Amino acid sequence: AGTPVTGATPMEYARRADAMTGAGDSLRELAQTVTVSVYSTFEPTDRQARSAEALEHEVDLRCRTLTPWRLRLRNSLDPTMLRRRVTG
């Protein structure tokens, strides 16, 4: 879904990304969680963190199915992409 547009809120980014991925419900819920986490004075609970990780995994799988296999292969060999997968 690309890099978030500078100044875009998580919900705005989720709307744009949904148009490209069709991962609407997961994206919206994840964007809501990110918004609350960023603007809240409290840390997310373990349950919220686990939920966000599960949502991220759903969105990632959806995006992966939309990515052409040659690009997935190239990304799997790219050390910067590997570092991103390992470090989160």
Side-chain angles (χ1 to χ4, degrees):
T3 304
V5 177
T6 303
T9 67
M11 291 303 289
E12 291 168 336
Y13 178 69
R15 277 193 292 278
R16 288 189 191 109
D18 179 35
M20 293 184 279
T21 64
D25 291 339
S26 297
L27 277 169
R28 280 188 294 278
E29 190 174 341
L30 184 57
Q32 177 120 17
T33 301
V34 169
T35 300
V36 169
S37 296
V38 168
Y39 295 106
S40 175
T41 57
F42 300 102
E43 291 289 320
T45 65
D46 287 342
R47 182 174 179 232
Q48 290 168 321
R50 283 191 303 274
S51 175
E53 285 178 0
L55 290 166
E56 184 271 336
H57 183 71
E58 286 177 32
V59 171
D60 186 54
L61 285 176
R62 176 70 180 150
C63 291
R64 202 171 299 160
T65 62
L66 296 172
T67 303
W69 70 269
R70 288 177 193 224
L71 181 56
R72 287 196 316 262
L73 176 63
R74 188 174 72 209
N75 288 345
S76 72
L77 301 173
D78 182 348
T80 59
M81 296 301 286
L82 176 62
R83 186 174 343 164
R84 223 180 269 169
R85 284 192 303 269
V86 170
T87 60

